Amino acid sequence: MKTILQRLSDRESLTESEMKEAMDTIFSNDVTDSEIAAFMVSLKTKGETVDEIAGIVRAMRDKSLTFSKKIPNVLDNCGTGGDGSSSFNISSTSAFVIAGAGIPVAKHGNRSVSSKTGSADVLEHLGINLNHSPERTEEILGEIGIAFLFAPHVHPNIKRIMKVRKDLRIPTTFNLIGPLTNPVELENQLLGIYRRDYTMMFAEVLKTLGRKRAVVLNGAGYMDEASLQGENHLAILDNGKVIEKILHPEEVGLPVYSNDAIRGGDSRENAEILLNVLKGEKGAKRDTVLLNAGIGIFTGGKAETIQRGIDIARESIDSGAAFDKLQQLIKASKSFQKEVI
């Protein structure tokens, strides 16, 4: 670890295998908290490369719970958080809309980061158990087409790393990579990120990690979600190529709203917002979900354009399919309540 720290301090980049080896050393508990902190700060100061991020992610996935089944065309739409917007749980709400459109969703999530309440808090408030074994999670995903993976549960070996990250009180690489570490074998991914300057790089990371199709986006107001406030910056991975795109809501027939219109509250309030959107309540929150779910449906390959993806998202809500996915997940979760590990 001393050699690694010296190289990072000298602004020397590591290969993917070298970074994975460094992370394996950290996981072995043969390093101190101070060394982990120095590692995080040195990497942040130097600036991360695609290979370095991929190496960290592979090491973290190796230490996560094992998911063995390969479910075709499964997608995650988890964002990094950290945008400070205090929005309602947009990606969690959108996940049910995407699943209602027929795309399997393995949604990675955690407790609050930038919202007043995180996806895990809202889902638990709705009566969804998040602590299933990998086998049960795969069963639920296969049966109903949507499952949620609670990050601290599926990554039991990173508690020490997360403690150091929290103690540092400054953003590091580890504030960004959560969505990359989903232990399910994903083919497609929609990833919202609060760093606009990282969209292209993270699309390249997803390419390195084997995603067939992906969209990395930073929304208007630097949200880690697509926003109706103005221009959204997208990096689109398709067929091994990454292209940039700027998308304004008016281009896809959606109105403009300030980000203040999509603020959320505590877990009870955000759960109510989620339910209302899935039940068809109109307004800024629904339209924001339509935009994000539409991009997700496009990412999942069910729509050739984002506009068509939004149309399919609208059908998912208005037909009741999205709400049915929520009800099915609640029921499946309760039926396995006794199986919790």
Side-chain angles (χ1 to χ4, degrees), residues 314-325:
R314 189 177 288 110
E315 293 167 12
S316 177
I317 294 175
D318 293 344
S319 68
F323 183 72
D324 284 347
K325 289 296 179 184

Side-chain angles (χ1 to χ4, degrees), residues 190-236:
L190 170 59
L191 194 164
I193 188 169
Y194 69 88
R195 289 283 301 268
R196 184 165 295 173
D197 54 331
Y198 275 41
T199 54
M200 287 293 287
M201 182 171 70
F202 267 55
E204 291 290 347
V205 173
L206 290 172
K207 176 182 173 181
T208 299
L209 294 173
R211 304 294 189 269
K212 291 182 178 179
R213 188 173 169 92
V215 173
V216 181
L217 67 83
N218 175 264
Y222 295 91
M223 288 188 67
D224 75 323
E225 311 276 3
S227 164
L228 298 173
Q229 183 168 282
E231 291 184 345
N232 298 277
H233 292 249
L234 282 61
I236 302 171

